[in-house]
Amino acid sequence: MDTRDAAERFVRVWERSWATHDVDALLALYAEDCEHRSMPFREPHRGRDGLAAYLRWSFEAERVTDVRFSAPLVGADGVAVAEFRVLSEESGTAATLAGCVFVRFDGQGLAVASRDYWHTAEGHQEPYGGLFLH
């Protein structure tokens, strides 16, 4: 699969599935032996089982109201990056999470490695200037 096609599929499925907490749909984007890092100084989540545990934990208290991903930028060697913005509530408190995801895809279009960088803010808000990548 072409990296651009894989990356566009990745952001479409993440946008839809994060909003509904559809872990199975998200796991289908990843290779069985994938490695995902949710932040640079955390231990990686290894394999689909490790990623599934992380996603279920992350989604547990979150009620999502809106998810947006930018169109991905595609680089060399199966790598792509996209920005995201999520409006949610946890324990009745509104929050915004904004960040980016870097992904490396294999020849079948599955994510073999991914890394997120993100920040949270109180309330629902848009990043200044909107999403940078378009």
Side-chain angles (χ1 to χ4, degrees), residues 11 13-14 22-23 25 31 35 40 43-44 62 86 95 100 103 110 112 115 121 133-134:
V11 299
V13 172
W14 258 100
D22 187 345
V23 172
E35 180 177 289
E43 287 291 317
E62 177 186 71
V86 180
C100 56
V103 186
L110 296 176
V112 293
R115 183 178 299 220
L133 305 175
H134 18 336

Side-chain angles (χ1 to χ4, degrees), residues 31-127:
E32 195 65 43
D33 61 347
C34 66
E35 180 177 289
H36 172 74
R37 290 182 180 269
S38 61
M39 289 297 279
F41 302 112
R42 288 184 181 169
E43 287 291 317
H45 312 288
R46 297 184 193 283
R48 282 188 184 163
D49 289 343
L51 180 57
Y54 167 71
L55 291 172
R56 288 188 179 99
W57 171 81
S58 294
F59 293 159
E60 192 172 64
E62 177 186 71
R63 188 179 71 76
V64 174
T65 56
D66 189 54
V67 178
R68 292 191 194 154
F69 272 74
S70 70
L73 290 179
V74 177
D77 300 322
V79 174
V81 62
E83 285 186 302
F84 55 85
R85 191 274 292 136
V86 180
L87 304 180
S88 67
E89 292 184 13
E90 289 191 32
S91 304
T93 302
T96 302
L97 184 146
C100 56
V101 57
F102 294 82
V103 186
R104 181 180 306 279
F105 296 97
D106 66 13
Q108 287 73 49
L110 296 176
V112 293
S114 62
R115 183 178 299 220
D116 296 339
Y117 295 93
W118 47 268
H119 303 279
T120 58
E122 292 182 5
H124 289 164
Q125 53 188 297
E126 294 295 324

